[in-house]
Coordinates of all heavy atoms in Angstrom, one line a residue:
M1 N 0.9 -1.2 0.0 CA 0.0 0.0 0.0 C 0.9 1.2 0.0 O 1.6 1.5 0.9 CB -0.9 0.0 1.2 CG -1.8 1.1 1.3 SD -3.0 0.8 2.6 CE -3.4 2.4 3.1
D2 N 0.8 2.0 -1.1 CA 1.7 3.2 -1.2 C 0.9 4.5 -1.2 O 1.4 5.5 -1.5 CB 2.6 3.1 -2.4 CG 1.8 2.9 -3.7 OD1 0.6 2.7 -3.6 OD2 2.5 2.9 -4.7
K3 N -0.4 4.4 -0.9 CA -1.2 5.6 -1.0 C -1.2 6.3 0.4 O -1.5 5.6 1.4 CB -2.7 5.2 -1.3 CG -3.6 6.3 -1.6 CD -4.9 5.8 -2.1 CE -5.8 6.9 -2.6 NZ -7.1 6.4 -3.0
E4 N -0.9 7.5 0.4 CA -0.8 8.3 1.7 C -2.2 8.8 2.1 O -2.9 9.4 1.2 CB 0.1 9.5 1.6 CG 0.3 10.2 2.8 CD 1.4 11.3 2.7 OE1 2.5 11.0 2.1 OE2 1.1 12.4 3.1
I5 N -2.7 8.6 3.3 CA -3.9 9.0 3.8 C -3.6 10.1 4.9 O -2.8 9.8 5.8 CB -4.8 7.9 4.4 CG1 -5.1 6.8 3.3 CG2 -6.1 8.4 5.0 CD1 -6.0 7.3 2.2
N6 N -4.2 11.2 4.8 CA -4.1 12.3 5.8 C -5.3 12.1 6.8 O -6.4 11.8 6.4 CB -4.2 13.6 5.2 CG -3.1 13.8 4.2 OD1 -1.9 14.0 4.6 ND2 -3.3 13.8 2.9
V7 N -5.0 12.4 8.1 CA -6.0 12.3 9.1 C -6.1 13.7 9.8 O -5.0 14.2 10.2 CB -5.7 11.2 10.2 CG1 -6.8 11.2 11.2 CG2 -5.6 9.9 9.5
L8 N -7.3 14.2 9.9 CA -7.5 15.5 10.6 C -8.6 15.3 11.6 O -9.7 14.8 11.2 CB -7.8 16.6 9.6 CG -7.9 18.0 10.0 CD1 -6.6 18.5 10.6 CD2 -8.3 18.9 8.8
A9 N -8.4 15.7 12.8 CA -9.5 15.5 13.8 C -9.7 16.8 14.6 O -8.8 17.6 14.8 CB -9.1 14.4 14.8
L10 N -11.0 16.9 15.0 CA -11.4 18.0 15.9 C -12.3 17.5 17.0 O -13.3 16.8 16.6 CB -12.1 19.1 15.1 CG -12.8 20.2 15.9 CD1 -11.7 21.1 16.6 CD2 -13.7 21.1 15.0
V11 N -12.0 17.7 18.2 CA -12.8 17.3 19.3 C -13.3 18.6 19.9 O -12.6 19.5 20.3 CB -12.0 16.5 20.4 CG1 -12.9 16.2 21.6 CG2 -11.5 15.2 19.8
K12 N -14.6 18.7 19.9 CA -15.3 20.0 20.4 C -16.5 19.6 21.2 O -17.5 19.1 20.7 CB -15.7 20.8 19.2 CG -16.1 22.2 19.5 CD -16.3 23.0 18.3 CE -16.8 24.4 18.6 NZ -17.1 25.2 17.5
G13 N -16.4 19.9 22.5 CA -17.5 19.5 23.4 C -17.6 18.0 23.4 O -16.6 17.3 23.5
G14 N -18.8 17.5 23.2 CA -19.1 16.1 23.2 C -19.0 15.5 21.8 O -19.3 14.3 21.6
E15 N -18.6 16.3 20.8 CA -18.6 15.8 19.4 C -17.2 15.7 18.9 O -16.3 16.4 19.3 CB -19.3 16.8 18.5 CG -20.8 16.9 18.8 CD -21.5 17.8 17.8 OE1 -21.2 19.0 17.8 OE2 -22.5 17.3 17.1
K16 N -17.0 14.7 18.1 CA -15.7 14.4 17.5 C -15.8 14.4 16.0 O -16.7 13.7 15.5 CB -15.1 13.0 18.0 CG -14.9 13.0 19.5 CD -14.4 11.7 19.9 CE -14.2 11.7 21.4 NZ -14.9 10.7 22.2
F17 N -15.0 15.1 15.3 CA -15.0 15.2 13.9 C -13.7 14.6 13.3 O -12.6 15.2 13.7 CB -15.2 16.6 13.4 CG -16.5 17.2 13.9 CD1 -16.5 18.0 15.1 CD2 -17.7 17.1 13.2 CE1 -17.6 18.6 15.6 CE2 -18.8 17.6 13.7 CZ -18.8 18.4 14.9
M18 N -13.7 13.6 12.5 CA -12.5 13.0 11.9 C -12.7 13.0 10.4 O -13.7 12.6 9.9 CB -12.3 11.6 12.4 CG -11.9 11.6 13.9 SD -11.3 9.9 14.4 CE -9.7 9.9 13.4
F19 N -11.6 13.5 9.8 CA -11.6 13.6 8.3 C -10.4 12.8 7.8 O -9.3 13.0 8.2 CB -11.5 15.0 7.8 CG -12.7 15.9 8.3 CD1 -12.6 16.6 9.5 CD2 -13.8 15.9 7.6 CE1 -13.6 17.3 10.0 CE2 -14.9 16.7 8.1 CZ -14.8 17.4 9.3
L20 N -10.6 11.8 6.9 CA -9.6 11.0 6.3 C -9.6 11.4 4.8 O -10.7 11.4 4.2 CB -9.8 9.6 6.4 CG -9.9 9.1 7.9 CD1 -10.7 7.8 7.9 CD2 -8.6 8.9 8.5
F21 N -8.5 11.9 4.3 CA -8.5 12.3 2.9 C -7.1 12.1 2.3 O -6.1 12.0 3.0 CB -8.9 13.8 2.8 CG -7.9 14.7 3.5 CD1 -6.9 15.4 2.8 CD2 -8.0 14.9 4.9 CE1 -6.0 16.2 3.5 CE2 -7.1 15.8 5.5 CZ -6.1 16.4 4.8
D22 N -7.2 11.9 1.0 CA -5.9 11.8 0.2 C -5.9 12.9 -0.9 O -6.8 13.8 -0.9 CB -5.7 10.4 -0.4 CG -6.9 10.1 -1.4 OD1 -7.6 11.0 -1.8 OD2 -6.9 8.9 -1.7
D23 N -4.9 12.9 -1.7 CA -4.8 14.0 -2.7 C -6.1 14.0 -3.6 O -6.5 15.1 -4.0 CB -3.6 13.8 -3.6 CG -2.3 14.0 -2.9 OD1 -2.4 14.3 -1.6 OD2 -1.2 13.9 -3.5
A24 N -6.6 12.8 -3.9 CA -7.8 12.7 -4.9 C -9.1 13.3 -4.3 O -9.9 13.8 -5.0 CB -8.0 11.3 -5.3
N25 N -9.3 13.2 -3.0 CA -10.5 13.7 -2.4 C -10.4 14.9 -1.5 O -11.2 15.3 -0.7 CB -11.3 12.6 -1.7 CG -10.6 12.1 -0.4 OD1 -9.6 12.6 0.0 ND2 -11.3 11.2 0.2
R26 N -9.3 15.6 -1.7 CA -9.0 16.8 -0.9 C -10.1 17.9 -1.1 O -10.6 18.4 -0.1 CB -7.7 17.4 -1.4 CG -7.3 18.8 -0.9 CD -6.2 19.4 -1.8 NE -5.8 20.6 -1.3 CZ -6.2 21.8 -1.8 NH1 -7.1 21.8 -2.8 NH2 -5.7 22.9 -1.4
D27 N -10.5 18.2 -2.3 CA -11.5 19.2 -2.5 C -12.9 18.8 -2.0 O -13.6 19.7 -1.5 CB -11.6 19.6 -4.0 CG -10.3 20.2 -4.5 OD1 -9.5 20.8 -3.7 OD2 -10.1 20.2 -5.7
E28 N -13.2 17.6 -2.1 CA -14.5 17.1 -1.5 C -14.5 17.3 0.0 O -15.5 17.6 0.6 CB -14.8 15.7 -1.9 CG -16.1 15.2 -1.3 CD -17.3 16.0 -1.6 OE1 -17.4 16.6 -2.7 OE2 -18.2 16.0 -0.8
T29 N -13.3 17.0 0.6 CA -13.2 17.2 2.1 C -13.4 18.7 2.5 O -14.0 19.0 3.4 CB -11.8 16.7 2.6 OG1 -11.7 15.3 2.1 CG2 -11.7 16.7 4.1
L30 N -12.8 19.6 1.7 CA -13.0 21.0 1.9 C -14.5 21.4 1.8 O -15.0 22.1 2.6 CB -12.2 21.8 0.9 CG -10.7 21.8 1.1 CD1 -10.0 22.4 -0.1 CD2 -10.2 22.4 2.4
R31 N -15.2 20.8 0.8 CA -16.6 21.1 0.7 C -17.4 20.5 1.9 O -18.4 21.1 2.4 CB -17.2 20.5 -0.6 CG -16.7 21.4 -1.8 CD -17.4 20.9 -3.1 NE -17.0 19.6 -3.6 CZ -15.9 19.5 -4.3 NH1 -15.2 20.6 -4.7 NH2 -15.5 18.3 -4.8
Q32 N -17.0 19.4 2.4 CA -17.7 18.8 3.5 C -17.5 19.6 4.8 O -18.4 19.8 5.6 CB -17.1 17.4 3.8 CG -17.9 16.6 4.9 CD -19.4 16.4 4.5 OE1 -19.7 16.0 3.5 NE2 -20.2 16.8 5.4
L33 N -16.4 20.3 5.0 CA -16.2 21.2 6.1 C -17.2 22.3 6.0 O -17.8 22.7 7.1 CB -14.8 21.8 6.1 CG -13.6 20.9 6.3 CD1 -12.3 21.6 6.1 CD2 -13.7 20.2 7.7
A34 N -17.5 22.9 4.8 CA -18.5 23.9 4.7 C -19.9 23.4 5.0 O -20.7 24.1 5.6 CB -18.4 24.5 3.3
R35 N -20.2 22.2 4.5 CA -21.5 21.6 4.8 C -21.7 21.4 6.3 O -22.8 21.7 6.9 CB -21.7 20.3 4.1 CG -21.9 20.5 2.6 CD -22.4 19.2 1.9 NE -21.3 18.3 1.8 CZ -20.5 18.1 0.7 NH1 -20.5 19.0 -0.3 NH2 -19.6 17.2 0.7
F36 N -20.7 21.0 7.0 CA -20.8 20.8 8.5 C -21.0 22.2 9.2 O -21.8 22.3 10.1 CB -19.5 20.1 9.0 CG -19.5 18.6 8.9 CD1 -20.4 18.0 8.1 CD2 -18.5 17.9 9.5 CE1 -20.4 16.6 8.0 CE2 -18.5 16.5 9.4 CZ -19.4 15.9 8.6
A37 N -20.2 23.2 8.7 CA -20.4 24.5 9.3 C -21.8 25.1 9.1 O -22.3 25.8 9.9 CB -19.3 25.4 8.7
A38 N -22.4 24.8 8.0 CA -23.7 25.3 7.7 C -24.8 24.5 8.4 O -26.0 25.0 8.4 CB -24.0 25.3 6.2
D39 N -24.5 23.4 9.0 CA -25.5 22.6 9.7 C -25.7 23.0 11.1 O -24.8 22.9 12.0 CB -25.0 21.1 9.7 CG -26.1 20.2 10.2 OD1 -27.0 20.6 11.0 OD2 -26.0 19.0 9.9
P40 N -26.9 23.6 11.4 CA -27.1 24.2 12.8 C -27.2 23.1 13.9 O -27.1 23.4 15.1 CB -28.4 24.9 12.6 CG -29.1 24.3 11.5 CD -28.0 23.8 10.6
E41 N -27.3 21.8 13.5 CA -27.4 20.8 14.5 C -26.0 20.3 15.0 O -25.9 19.5 15.9 CB -28.2 19.6 13.9 CG -29.7 20.0 13.7 CD -30.5 18.8 13.3 OE1 -30.1 17.6 13.5 OE2 -31.6 19.0 12.7
L42 N -25.0 20.7 14.3 CA -23.6 20.4 14.7 C -22.9 21.5 15.4 O -23.2 22.7 15.1 CB -22.8 20.0 13.4 CG -23.2 18.8 12.6 CD1 -22.3 18.6 11.4 CD2 -23.2 17.5 13.5
D43 N -22.1 21.2 16.3 CA -21.3 22.2 17.0 C -20.0 22.3 16.2 O -18.9 22.0 16.7 CB -21.0 21.7 18.5 CG -20.3 22.8 19.3 OD1 -20.3 23.9 18.8 OD2 -19.7 22.4 20.3
F44 N -20.1 22.8 15.0 CA -19.0 23.0 14.1 C -19.2 24.3 13.4 O -20.1 24.5 12.6 CB -19.1 21.8 13.0 CG -17.8 21.7 12.2 CD1 -16.8 20.9 12.6 CD2 -17.7 22.4 11.0 CE1 -15.6 20.8 11.8 CE2 -16.5 22.3 10.2 CZ -15.5 21.5 10.6
S45 N -18.3 25.3 13.8 CA -18.5 26.6 13.3 C -17.8 26.9 12.0 O -17.0 26.1 11.6 CB -18.0 27.6 14.4 OG -16.6 27.5 14.5
W46 N -18.0 28.1 11.5 CA -17.3 28.5 10.3 C -15.8 28.7 10.6 O -14.9 28.5 9.8 CB -17.9 29.8 9.7 CG -19.2 29.5 9.0 CD1 -20.4 29.7 9.4 CD2 -19.3 28.8 7.7 NE1 -21.3 29.2 8.5 CE2 -20.7 28.7 7.5 CE3 -18.4 28.4 6.8 CZ2 -21.2 28.1 6.3 CZ3 -18.9 27.8 5.6 CH2 -20.3 27.7 5.4
Y47 N -15.6 29.1 11.9 CA -14.2 29.2 12.3 C -13.5 27.9 12.3 O -12.3 27.7 11.8 CB -14.1 29.8 13.7 CG -12.7 29.9 14.2 CD1 -11.8 31.0 13.8 CD2 -12.2 29.0 15.1 CE1 -10.5 31.1 14.3 CE2 -10.9 29.1 15.6 CZ -10.0 30.1 15.2 OH -8.8 30.2 15.6
D48 N -14.2 26.8 12.8 CA -13.6 25.5 12.7 C -13.3 25.1 11.3 O -12.3 24.5 11.0 CB -14.6 24.5 13.3 CG -14.9 24.7 14.8 OD1 -14.1 25.3 15.5 OD2 -16.0 24.4 15.2
A49 N -14.3 25.4 10.4 CA -14.1 25.0 9.0 C -12.9 25.7 8.4 O -12.1 25.2 7.6 CB -15.4 25.3 8.2
A50 N -12.8 27.0 8.7 CA -11.6 27.8 8.2 C -10.3 27.2 8.7 O -9.3 27.1 7.9 CB -11.8 29.3 8.6
M51 N -10.2 27.0 9.9 CA -9.0 26.5 10.5 C -8.6 25.1 9.9 O -7.4 24.8 9.6 CB -9.0 26.4 12.0 CG -9.1 27.7 12.7 SD -7.7 28.8 12.4 CE -8.4 29.9 11.2
L52 N -9.6 24.2 9.8 CA -9.3 22.9 9.3 C -9.0 22.9 7.8 O -8.2 22.2 7.3 CB -10.5 21.9 9.6 CG -10.7 21.6 11.1 CD1 -11.9 20.7 11.3 CD2 -9.4 21.0 11.7
S53 N -9.7 23.8 7.1 CA -9.4 23.9 5.6 C -8.0 24.4 5.4 O -7.3 24.0 4.5 CB -10.4 24.8 4.9 OG -10.3 26.1 5.4
R54 N -7.5 25.3 6.2 CA -6.1 25.8 6.1 C -5.2 24.6 6.3 O -4.2 24.4 5.6 CB -5.9 26.9 7.2 CG -4.4 27.3 7.3 CD -3.7 27.7 6.0 NE -4.5 28.7 5.3 CZ -4.3 29.0 4.0 NH1 -3.5 28.3 3.3 NH2 -5.1 29.9 3.5
K55 N -5.4 23.7 7.3 CA -4.6 22.6 7.6 C -4.6 21.6 6.4 O -3.6 21.1 6.0 CB -5.0 21.9 8.8 CG -4.7 22.7 10.1 CD -5.1 21.9 11.3 CE -4.8 22.7 12.6 NZ -3.4 22.8 12.9
I56 N -5.8 21.4 5.8 CA -5.9 20.6 4.6 C -5.1 21.1 3.4 O -4.3 20.4 2.8 CB -7.3 20.3 4.2 CG1 -8.0 19.5 5.2 CG2 -7.4 19.7 2.8 CD1 -9.5 19.4 5.1
R57 N -5.2 22.4 3.2 CA -4.5 23.1 2.1 C -3.0 23.1 2.3 O -2.2 23.0 1.4 CB -5.0 24.5 1.8 CG -6.4 24.4 1.1 CD -6.8 25.8 0.6 NE -6.9 26.8 1.6 CZ -8.0 27.1 2.2 NH1 -9.1 26.4 2.0 NH2 -8.0 28.1 3.1
D58 N -2.6 23.1 3.6 CA -1.1 23.1 3.9 C -0.6 21.6 3.7 O 0.5 21.5 3.2 CB -0.9 23.5 5.4 CG -1.0 25.0 5.6 OD1 -1.1 25.7 4.6 OD2 -1.1 25.4 6.7
A59 N -1.4 20.6 4.0 CA -1.0 19.2 3.9 C -1.0 18.8 2.5 O -0.1 18.0 2.1 CB -2.0 18.3 4.7
V60 N -1.9 19.3 1.7 CA -2.0 18.9 0.2 C -2.1 20.1 -0.6 O -3.2 20.5 -1.0 CB -3.2 17.9 0.0 CG1 -3.2 17.4 -1.4 CG2 -3.2 16.8 1.0
P61 N -1.1 20.9 -0.8 CA -1.1 22.1 -1.5 C -1.4 22.0 -3.0 O -1.0 21.0 -3.6 CB 0.2 22.8 -1.3 CG 1.1 21.7 -0.9 CD 0.3 20.6 -0.3
R62 N -2.1 22.9 -3.6 CA -2.3 23.0 -5.0 C -1.9 24.4 -5.5 O -2.0 25.4 -4.8 CB -3.8 22.8 -5.3 CG -4.3 21.4 -4.9 CD -4.5 20.5 -6.1 NE -4.8 19.2 -5.8 CZ -6.0 18.7 -5.6 NH1 -7.0 19.4 -5.8 NH2 -6.2 17.4 -5.3
A63 N -1.6 24.5 -6.7 CA -1.2 25.7 -7.3 C -2.2 26.8 -7.3 O -2.0 28.0 -7.2 CB -0.7 25.5 -8.7
D64 N -3.5 26.4 -7.3 CA -4.6 27.3 -7.4 C -5.2 27.7 -6.0 O -6.2 28.3 -5.9 CB -5.7 26.9 -8.3 CG -6.3 25.5 -7.9 OD1 -5.8 24.9 -7.0 OD2 -7.3 25.1 -8.5
D65 N -4.5 27.3 -4.9 CA -5.0 27.6 -3.6 C -5.2 29.1 -3.4 O -6.1 29.6 -2.7 CB -4.2 27.0 -2.5 CG -4.4 25.5 -2.3 OD1 -5.5 25.1 -2.8 OD2 -3.6 24.9 -1.7
W66 N -4.2 29.9 -3.9 CA -4.3 31.3 -3.7 C -5.6 31.9 -4.3 O -6.2 32.8 -3.7 CB -3.1 32.0 -4.3 CG -3.0 31.9 -5.8 CD1 -2.4 30.9 -6.5 CD2 -3.6 32.8 -6.7 NE1 -2.6 31.1 -7.8 CE2 -3.3 32.2 -8.0 CE3 -4.3 33.9 -6.7 CZ2 -3.7 32.8 -9.2 CZ3 -4.8 34.5 -7.8 CH2 -4.5 34.0 -9.1
Q67 N -6.0 31.4 -5.4 CA -7.3 31.8 -6.0 C -8.5 31.4 -5.2 O -9.4 32.2 -5.0 CB -7.4 31.3 -7.4 CG -8.6 31.7 -8.1 CD -8.7 31.2 -9.6 OE1 -7.9 30.4 -10.0 NE2 -9.7 31.6 -10.3
M68 N -8.4 30.2 -4.6 CA -9.5 29.7 -3.8 C -9.7 30.6 -2.6 O -10.8 30.8 -2.1 CB -9.3 28.3 -3.4 CG -10.4 27.7 -2.6 SD -10.2 26.0 -2.2 CE -11.3 25.2 -3.2
D69 N -8.6 31.0 -2.0 CA -8.7 31.8 -0.8 C -9.5 33.1 -1.0 O -10.4 33.4 -0.2 CB -7.3 32.2 -0.3 CG -6.6 31.1 0.4 OD1 -7.2 30.1 0.8 OD2 -5.3 31.2 0.5
G70 N -9.3 33.7 -2.2 CA -10.1 34.9 -2.5 C -11.6 34.6 -2.8 O -12.4 35.4 -2.4
E71 N -11.8 33.4 -3.4 CA -13.2 33.0 -3.7 C -14.0 32.7 -2.4 O -15.1 33.0 -2.2 CB -13.3 31.8 -4.6 CG -12.8 32.2 -6.0 CD -12.7 30.9 -6.9 OE1 -13.0 29.8 -6.4 OE2 -12.2 31.1 -8.0
L72 N -13.3 32.1 -1.4 CA -14.0 31.7 -0.1 C -14.3 33.0 0.6 O -15.3 33.0 1.4 CB -13.1 30.8 0.7 CG -12.9 29.4 0.1 CD1 -11.9 28.7 1.0 CD2 -14.2 28.7 0.1
D73 N -13.6 34.1 0.5 CA -13.9 35.3 1.2 C -15.2 35.9 0.8 O -15.9 36.6 1.6 CB -12.8 36.4 1.0 CG -11.5 36.0 1.6 OD1 -11.5 35.2 2.6 OD2 -10.4 36.6 1.2
S74 N -15.7 35.6 -0.4 CA -16.9 36.2 -0.8 C -18.2 35.3 -0.6 O -19.3 35.6 -1.0 CB -16.8 36.5 -2.3 OG -16.7 35.3 -3.1
L75 N -18.0 34.1 0.0 CA -19.1 33.2 0.2 C -19.8 33.5 1.5 O -19.3 34.1 2.4 CB -18.6 31.7 0.3 CG -17.9 31.2 -1.0 CD1 -17.4 29.8 -0.7 CD2 -18.9 31.1 -2.1
S76 N -21.1 33.1 1.5 CA -21.9 33.2 2.7 C -22.5 31.9 3.0 O -22.4 30.9 2.2 CB -23.0 34.3 2.5 OG -24.0 33.8 1.6
T77 N -23.2 31.8 4.1 CA -23.9 30.5 4.5 C -24.9 30.1 3.5 O -25.2 28.9 3.3 CB -24.5 30.6 5.9 OG1 -25.4 31.7 5.9 CG2 -23.4 30.8 6.9
E78 N -25.5 31.0 2.8 CA -26.6 30.7 1.8 C -26.0 30.0 0.6 O -26.7 29.2 -0.1 CB -27.2 32.0 1.3 CG -28.0 32.8 2.4 CD -29.1 31.9 3.0 OE1 -29.8 31.3 2.3 OE2 -29.1 31.9 4.2
D79 N -24.7 30.1 0.3 CA -24.1 29.4 -0.8 C -24.0 27.9 -0.5 O -23.8 27.1 -1.5 CB -22.7 29.9 -1.0 CG -22.7 31.3 -1.5 OD1 -23.5 31.7 -2.4 OD2 -21.9 32.2 -1.0
F80 N -24.2 27.4 0.7 CA -24.1 26.0 1.0 C -25.4 25.3 1.4 O -25.4 24.2 1.9 CB -23.1 25.8 2.2 CG -21.7 26.3 1.8 CD1 -21.3 27.6 2.1 CD2 -20.9 25.5 1.0 CE1 -20.0 28.0 1.8 CE2 -19.6 25.9 0.7 CZ -19.2 27.2 1.0
R81 N -26.5 26.0 1.1 CA -27.8 25.4 1.4 C -28.4 24.7 0.2 O -28.1 24.9 -0.9 CB -28.8 26.5 1.9 CG -28.3 27.0 3.2 CD -29.3 27.9 3.8 NE -28.8 28.6 4.9 CZ -28.8 28.2 6.2 NH1 -29.3 27.1 6.5 NH2 -28.2 28.9 7.2

């Protein structure tokens, strides 16, 4: 097995969030962070999503990350409903 899997975890209150991702599903993991932040039933804030997404982009960098940072600044919670 030569495929590298990244593990990212957040323990917040009584909830535990674990994300397993590789290079191929990095972008889907970033989208999942936004969906969790938009879910009012989860104790997962937009701040949590921002901090974890930064860790994901640092772990698996892409050339277009600088462009994505600017695009994320203009998003609101309505974009994920």
Side-chain angles (χ1 to χ4, degrees):
M1 183 169 149
D2 58 352
K3 189 174 187 180
E4 184 175 311
I5 301 292
N6 299 287
V7 179
L8 187 61
L10 172 68
V11 177
K12 188 172 181 186
E15 294 181 302
K16 297 175 181 128
F17 302 93
M18 289 192 68
F19 301 92
L20 302 157
F21 62 97
D22 60 14
D23 291 1
N25 69 1
R26 168 199 186 260
D27 293 341
E28 178 56 32
T29 305
L30 291 169
R31 285 188 288 276
Q32 186 61 49
L33 294 175
R35 287 190 289 269
F36 279 11
D39 187 338
E41 294 185 21
L42 296 177
D43 187 17
F44 192 90
S45 68
W46 286 102
Y47 178 80
D48 298 331
M51 293 299 100
L52 293 178
S53 66
R54 171 55 53 202
K55 290 182 181 290
I56 290 171
R57 287 193 298 270
D58 288 346
V60 185
R62 297 256 171 91
D64 61 349
D65 280 344
W66 64 271
Q67 182 179 4
M68 179 180 255
D69 286 341
E71 291 172 6
L72 290 176
D73 289 342
S74 66
L75 294 177
S76 73
T77 57
E78 296 302 315
D79 294 317
F80 297 98
R81 295 187 191 272

